[in-house]
Amino acid sequence: MNTPPHEPLIRKVLGGNVFELKLHRLGVEDLDGGSVVKLEILEGDQPVEVNGHGVGLVEALYNALLERYAREYQSLKTIQLTNFQINADIGTKTGQAGVDAIAQVTLDVSNSEGRLFSFHDSSRSVTASTARAVLAMVQFFVNAERAFLTLYNARRDALSRGREDLVARYTAEMAAVVESTSYAEVIANIRKELG
């Protein structure tokens, strides 16, 4: 699985405060009007239930997660799906027909600056792999936004203490992490402030 750009830096900045999402349970109904999902996810160790609907599975999953996280993490609202792809790794089949092959799901999105990011998952369940890829995408952008704000606050603190060495480091790290965020009003205001 490819690591999204700057994820190691984002994880380093957040340390023990990395936001982790894991799929625990997933229910899907396909109706004439689209898909309805009921997800039970783990936020760290805490189970949370979210529901969503959309014209298809990816939109229903994304809408469920937006409902839960977009109020606090505004940048999630600006992400655009650019590609959704499913491939079967026929070499992993156990039977003759190959219908039990491992599905490789790829979800490509762009942020508000047009930068592309890919999220992948593989399993024998296309639905579960799709849900995990969407969760990975939301988790990444939430963590990127959180890391940017953490660095901003650390930079302000370093400025107030006259620590130019740290100001320079935090400014450089903010410049890297901002490439992985998507437009949000708070980030735009900070960018203006930094000039």
Side-chain angles (χ1 to χ4, degrees):
M1 174 157 71
N2 295 344
T3 301
H6 310 300
E7 186 166 24
L9 173 60
I10 290 166
R11 286 185 170 277
K12 182 184 121 200
V13 167
L14 293 174
N17 292 324
V18 172
F19 184 69
E20 300 278 355
L21 292 174
K22 288 190 175 95
L23 181 62
H24 188 61
R25 285 196 183 97
L26 172 63
V28 179
E29 288 184 47
D30 287 316
L31 309 168
D32 287 340
S35 295
V36 175
V37 296
K38 184 177 189 175
L39 285 138
E40 186 176 307
I41 54 178
L42 297 176
E43 292 176 355
D45 295 333
Q46 194 75 344
V48 175
E49 193 172 288
V50 293
N51 301 300
H53 65 279
V55 294
L57 176 62
V58 174
E59 184 181 36
L61 290 164
Y62 186 59
N63 286 342
L65 295 169
L66 269 181
E67 179 68 28
R68 171 86 180 160
Y69 302 111
R71 269 174 265 174
E72 187 172 354
Y73 303 103
Q74 298 277 316
S75 62
L76 290 174
K77 295 178 182 175
T78 65
I79 297 164
Q80 297 284 319
L81 178 68
T82 60
N83 185 41
F84 176 66
Q85 188 173 342
I86 302 169
N87 292 311
D89 184 354
I90 299 299
T92 62
K93 68 183 178 141
T94 58
Q96 274 192 329
V99 294
D100 62 346
I102 290 181
Q104 299 169 334
V105 172
T106 301
L107 181 70
D108 296 328
V109 297
S110 65
N111 68 3
S112 59
E113 305 295 314
R115 288 186 186 90
L116 297 176
F117 300 83
S118 285
F119 301 90
H120 313 272
D121 191 80
S122 298
S123 73
R124 296 195 190 279
S125 169
V126 171
T127 304
S129 283
T130 300
R132 283 191 295 269
V134 172
L135 278 171
M137 183 256 310
V138 168
Q139 175 182 292
F140 174 76
F141 284 103
V142 165
N143 281 324
E145 189 171 330
R146 292 174 75 220
F148 185 83
L149 294 173
T150 298
L151 286 166
Y152 171 72
N153 290 327
R155 183 183 177 279
R156 271 193 358 200
D157 177 63
L159 268 172
S160 72
R161 294 184 296 126
R163 291 289 310 269
E164 290 304 319
D165 58 325
L166 292 177
V167 170
R169 180 181 131 202
Y170 296 143
T171 301
E173 289 176 348
M174 285 174 70
V177 170
V178 78
E179 293 177 7
S180 294
T181 61
S182 200
Y183 177 82
E185 189 175 328
V186 69
I187 291 171
N189 290 339
I190 290 170
R191 282 173 136 177
K192 283 181 204 166
E193 180 183 316
L194 295 175

